[in-house]
Amino acid sequence: MTITPLNKDSILHAIEAFSTEMPINLHVLTEIDSTNQFLKQRPPSALIEVCCAETQTLGRGRRGNTWHSPYGENIYLSIRWKIPVATLLLSAMGLVVSLAILDAIHLIAPDVYIKWPNDLIWNMKKLSGILVEMITTVSGCQEVIIGVGLNVSTSASCEAWCSLYDITGKHYDRNKLIAHILISLNSHLNQFFQQGFGVFQARWQAADYLYQRAISLTQAHQTFNGIAQGVTTQGLLRLVDNAGIHHMFSSGDIHITAIDGQPRP
Ligand code: BTN
């Protein structure tokens, strides 16, 4: 496999080629503990702070998991974004981020779906994960750090994971992919902060991996079993439990309990 190294100029030129105005301060690193952690420690900035790295020594996943980050093979990318004060729909933001990534890779990998809230799934395997962390800066500004892990070239060593290489049999220039993702995130998040999640609901639901599937959702010490019924205009997951009671969730750990109905490949 020939690896094209990450390159700051290549990423910036690819963004310019789309004639997108995106005021970013881009940090391209060889090795870092975690790109999310790096951005947390950056001083306040008028620009969108972005960091990507060839490898992470302490890559973090959701629920305290480790994010395996082999050198040069995948995308480990974080973006620090200022949140408009009036935003009440933060739980929906991760859903919009997942849609932005899906849209950025759609031409390469059309059969990818989103498992609520924001995992990208192909053929029942995880392709990408997102870690959204809130910070309050010294000036009292609310900011969010969006961490994106996208498997590009690492070939699946177990049944739970996959990469773009596993899907297409091809290797991709990560610089171009990162540029696509940043452009897509910029337009999706600007629209989200102006108009909310409602404008994304239909498109998100078209990619909903869980729709009509039997799932269990665990929150703290409680588990709900039922059928997933899509998302609300606020991005909450709808679930009808086995007693017919309707629920809505803004968070939870999900497992598919039966593959009956097969709504998705
Ligand atoms: C998940 O568990 O699904 C979320 C994984 C998020 C991984 C990315 S890689 C770039 C950024 N830096 C981190 O330490 N984590 C996120």
Side-chain angles (χ1 to χ4, degrees):
M1 168 180 45
T2 324
I3 291 173
T4 307
L6 292 177
N7 181 283
K8 183 172 172 169
D9 288 341
S10 300
I11 297 171
L12 294 176
H13 285 149
I15 292 174
E16 276 167 25
F18 286 94
S19 55
T20 301
E21 271 294 305
M22 215 185 151
I24 64 172
N25 187 18
L26 175 62
H27 309 266
V28 177
L29 310 175
T30 304
E31 180 181 301
I32 192 72
D33 49 359
S34 150
T35 52
N36 267 32
Q37 189 60 28
F38 176 84
L39 288 191
K40 260 188 202 170
Q41 289 159 350
R42 292 284 307 156
S45 163
L47 302 170
I48 301 168
E49 293 283 318
V50 177
C51 173
C52 58
E54 294 285 11
T55 185
Q56 302 182 112
T57 52
L58 284 172
R60 297 202 300 256
R62 289 194 295 134
R63 298 185 295 278
N65 291 331
T66 300
W67 190 258
H68 180 53
S69 310
Y71 188 94
E73 295 187 10
N74 304 315
I75 289 176
Y76 320 113
L77 171 71
S78 298
I79 301 106
R80 200 169 86 186
W81 209 276
K82 287 194 178 56
I83 296 171
V85 184
T87 298
L88 296 169
L89 297 170
L90 279 183
S91 65
M93 201 186 67
L95 280 69
V96 173
V97 170
S98 60
L99 192 60
I101 295 161
L102 186 86
D103 286 350
I105 62 165
H106 182 71
L107 290 178
I108 297 174
D111 292 325
V112 174
Y113 293 91
I114 308 171
K115 181 178 167 216
W116 187 90
N118 47 34
D119 287 349
L120 295 196
I121 303 285
W122 173 78
N123 199 17
M124 305 207 284
K125 299 168 188 190
K126 182 157 164 171
L127 173 68
S128 170
I130 293 154
L131 178 67
V132 178
E133 298 182 284
M134 295 289 301
I135 53 168
T136 305
T137 61
V138 276
S139 57
C141 235
Q142 285 272 293
E143 297 195 352
V144 73
I145 296 176
I146 299 160
V148 178
L150 171 66
N151 297 331
V152 179
S153 288
T154 298
S155 206
S157 56
C158 75
E159 284 185 1
W161 298 91
C162 69
S163 64
L164 290 177
Y165 177 74
D166 293 321
I167 300 175
T168 65
K170 292 183 190 157
H171 293 290
Y172 294 90
D173 179 351
R174 289 169 299 149
N175 298 302
K176 290 202 179 101
L177 285 174
I178 288 171
H180 275 279
I181 290 171
L182 290 174
I183 290 164
S184 185
L185 271 173
N186 190 40
S187 74
H188 283 66
L189 284 178
N190 282 330
Q191 195 183 4
F192 171 68
F193 285 127
Q194 280 162 24
Q195 297 174 294
F197 181 74
V199 290
F200 296 98
Q201 185 192 21
R203 273 162 58 211
W204 198 94
Q205 227 157 249
D208 183 357
Y209 182 68
L210 297 176
Y211 187 66
Q212 292 293 10
R213 284 202 157 158
I215 62 165
S216 74
L217 183 146
T218 304
Q219 265 190 341
H221 300 295
Q222 221 183 343
T223 296
F224 300 83
N225 288 293
I227 304 291
Q229 301 284 355
V231 290
T232 67
T233 51
Q234 327 242 288
L236 304 176
L237 179 76
R238 289 180 195 279
L239 176 110
V240 178
D241 72 19
N242 294 341
I245 299 167
H246 290 244
H247 301 266
M248 288 186 284
F249 296 98
S250 62
S251 65
D253 192 9
I254 301 225
H255 291 282
I256 295 173
T257 50
I259 311 283
D260 51 334
Q262 295 288 3
R264 297 285 183 225

